[in-house]
Amino acid sequence: MLHIAAQTTDSTSSGITEPAVRQLNAFQRWWGTINWENVTGLLISKGLMIIFLIILFSVLLRLCDFLVERSYQSYQKRQKFSESRMNTLNTLIRNVIHYTLGFFFIYSLLSTLGVPVGSLLAGAGIAGLAIGLGAQGFMNDIITGFFIIMEQQIDVGDYIILSNLSIEGTVTSVGIRTLELRSANGTVHFIPNRNITTISNNSRSNMQVIVDVRIDPNEGLDKIKTAIKRANDQIAKTYQEEIQTEPTIFGLVDLGNSNYAIRTTFYVLNGQQFKIKEDLLTAAINELNAADLSIPATPILPAAK
C-alpha cells in the first residue's frame, strides 16, 4: 500500500511540475537567443536620436518665437494698428508655428520608435474627415475672423452695424472666433464670425449730422432761417474742435402731412454726432422761442404705401 501511495504521489507531482519546467526552459532558450549587444546598441541609438529631436525642436521653437517677436515689434512701430489687433495676430501666428512644430516633432518621434506613422495617418484621415465635417462651422469662424483682423475691418471701440443680423453697437472685443458687441441699451452680443456678412463701420471717418427743425412757413422763412443761423453759429463756436465743416442751412424740407422743417447739415468727428445734434436742436428751439416763432406739434403720419 505504501508503495502504491508513493507512486501516486510521484506521478501527481511530476504532472504539475513538468509544464512549469517546460515553460522555464522555453524562456531560458528565448533569453539565450537575444543578442544583447544589438539590443544595447539599438537602445543607445534610439535614445540619442530622441534626445537630438528634443534639442532640435526646442531650438527651433525658441528661434521661431524670437523671430515672431522681433517681427511683431518691428511691424508695430511701422504700422498704426490697434493693440488688440496686433496681439491677436501675434497670438495666431505663434499658435500656428507651435502646432506645426508639435506635429512634426510627434511624427519624427514615432518614426524613430518604429511606429508605422503612415498607417496611423491613413486611419486618422478617415476620423479627421468625420471630425472636419462636424467642425466646419468652427473653421469658418477662424478663417473669417482672421480676414476681419487682417483687413482692419473693425477695431475695439468702433460703432458698427451688422445689416444681415439687424444688430448694431460698440465693438468691445475682436476675437479669432467670435465678435463681442455692446448695444446702446447695454446688451452684449457674442456673434460667431461666420454669421457676419456685411459690416457697416460708423467710426472710420467724419460723420454727417442732419438736424431738422420743424417750423411754420407762414411766419416768414427769412426770419426763421435767421434764428436757426444764430443757433448754428452758437454750436459752431462751442464745438469748434469737434465740428469739421461749418453748419449749413440746407433749406426747407417737407416732412409729410403738411409739416415742414429747416434742415441743417454738417460733419463732425466720429462719436460726437449724437451729442452735437441734440445740442443744436435745443439751441434752435430756444432761438425760435426767443424770436416768438412757433414750433408745430401736429403729428407726422407715415407715408402711404
Side-chain angles (χ1 to χ4, degrees), residues 81-285:
F81 287 165
S82 66
E83 184 177 356
S84 61
R85 174 179 286 111
M86 293 301 300
N87 290 336
T88 302
L89 289 175
N90 187 29
T91 303
L92 176 63
I93 295 174
R94 285 178 180 273
N95 288 338
V96 170
I97 292 175
H98 289 179
Y99 291 145
T100 303
L101 289 177
F103 170 79
F104 283 107
F105 174 73
I106 294 175
Y107 181 89
S108 302
L109 184 62
L110 293 178
S111 299
T112 301
L113 295 176
V115 177
V117 181
S119 301
L120 292 178
L121 291 178
I126 300 175
L129 178 62
I131 296 174
L133 293 175
Q136 183 177 6
F138 176 77
M139 294 304 300
N140 287 340
D141 286 337
I142 293 179
I143 295 173
T144 305
F146 176 77
F147 283 106
I148 287 176
I149 295 172
M150 285 295 296
E151 295 173 358
Q152 308 177 42
Q153 297 178 15
I154 53 178
D155 285 318
V156 173
D158 287 353
Y159 189 89
I160 67 172
I161 300 174
L162 303 179
S163 303
N164 64 306
L165 300 176
S166 300
I167 298 175
E168 62 180 279
T170 302
V171 178
T172 57
S173 176
V174 183
I176 199 66
R177 194 181 68 84
T178 59
L179 173 68
E180 186 176 330
L181 198 67
R182 185 184 301 276
S183 297
N185 61 1
T187 303
V188 178
H189 304 277
F190 297 91
I191 306 163
N193 290 330
R194 67 178 179 274
N195 294 335
I196 301 173
T197 58
T198 303
I199 301 175
S200 301
N201 196 326
N202 293 333
S203 300
R204 289 298 172 89
S205 60
N206 297 330
M207 299 300 295
Q208 185 183 40
V209 176
I210 299 176
V211 180
D212 291 334
V213 181
R214 295 176 64 184
I215 52 93
D216 183 359
N218 298 323
E219 296 179 344
L221 290 178
D222 291 338
K223 185 178 180 181
I224 293 172
K225 288 182 179 180
T226 301
I228 294 178
K229 180 66 168 56
R230 290 195 298 268
N232 291 348
D233 294 341
Q234 175 186 344
I235 293 299
K237 184 178 180 180
T238 304
Y239 295 99
Q240 56 184 346
E241 295 184 359
E242 290 82 1
I243 294 178
Q244 302 301 297
T245 61
E246 192 73 17
T248 303
I249 295 179
F250 175 80
L252 185 68
V253 294
D254 185 2
L255 302 179
N257 194 30
S258 299
N259 289 281
Y260 298 91
I262 296 295
R263 174 170 293 178
T264 298
T265 61
F266 56 101
Y267 284 87
V268 301
L269 292 177
N270 198 286
Q272 303 295 322
Q273 61 269 25
F274 302 109
K275 177 176 176 54
I276 295 178
K277 179 178 181 179
E278 180 182 352
D279 289 350
L280 178 55
L281 183 59
T282 301
I285 292 175

Side-chain angles (χ1 to χ4, degrees), residues 30-48:
W30 171 80
W31 187 267
T33 59
I34 296 177
N35 190 335
W36 290 105
E37 183 177 354
N38 291 339
V39 171
T40 303
L42 181 64
L43 291 176
I44 292 175
S45 63
K46 296 292 185 181
L48 292 176

